[in-house]
Amino acid sequence: MSPQSEDIPGDSPDGVALSELQLDVMRVLWRGEASVAEVAAALAKSRGLAHTTVATVLTRLGRRGVVAARRDGRQLYYSPTVSESQVRRSMVGDLIQNLFKGDPQALLAHLVSESEVAPGDLDKVQALLAERPAKGRGRP
């Protein structure tokens, strides 16, 4: 990012916040490198986007450092510079900070109380927690 550019939250690869459209484009790229036409074709059924719209989204993602472009003749091919898990971690972190005042337990409590989580889902979460080593959280 240049010194004159606006400091926008989620505008670095470490803190990536994406719109629904940007996420759809990235999901195509997470499957593999693609041209604008290939991304547009992959999203045609669900989105029906114009080639120029896809090109604009990819250009903006490139400026943010979220995708890289490679030229082959006259064609540009795009690939992600951030993983899906990085984006997910960043966006969930933002959600927890902004809506739940930094308390991940509040998010879990909300999901459970709003019936967004079925009992079988809770068993899966407990198994994941049991497998995961404590990462500097002060918990055994």
Side-chain angles (χ1 to χ4, degrees):
M1 210 158 49
S2 70
Q4 291 127 351
S5 68
E6 199 174 336
D7 188 19
I8 301 169
D11 207 33
S12 72
D14 291 336
V16 181
L18 301 175
S19 69
E20 189 177 331
L21 173 57
Q22 291 169 332
L23 280 169
D24 284 348
V25 168
M26 290 301 292
R27 285 183 184 112
V28 173
L29 297 180
W30 285 321
R31 294 190 304 241
E33 182 182 70
S35 68
V36 173
E38 291 166 338
V39 173
L43 297 175
K45 194 171 188 179
S46 63
R47 288 265 186 185
L49 300 172
H51 186 276
T52 53
T53 302
V54 174
T56 299
V57 171
L58 287 165
T59 299
R60 289 179 180 168
L61 289 170
R63 272 193 231 128
R64 291 178 59 191
V66 178
V67 300
R70 175 184 67 82
R71 184 170 294 282
D72 184 9
R74 293 182 59 191
Q75 189 76 267
L76 283 174
Y77 290 90
Y78 293 88
S79 58
T81 60
V82 295
S83 68
E84 187 171 7
S85 64
Q86 286 174 294
V87 171
R88 194 176 288 151
R89 188 176 333 122
S90 175
M91 292 180 71
V92 170
D94 287 349
L95 176 73
I96 291 169
Q97 271 311 99
N98 296 329
L99 287 179
F100 298 98
K101 299 179 183 169
D103 183 4
Q105 292 176 9
L107 171 59
L108 288 171
H110 170 77
L111 291 172
V112 171
S113 69
E114 294 295 319
S115 301
E116 297 291 332
V117 179
D121 294 337
L122 290 176
D123 293 338
K124 291 176 189 173
V125 170
Q126 287 175 330
L128 286 171
L129 288 171
E131 292 172 9
R132 183 176 175 225
K135 290 185 179 178
R137 296 187 181 267
R139 296 179 186 166

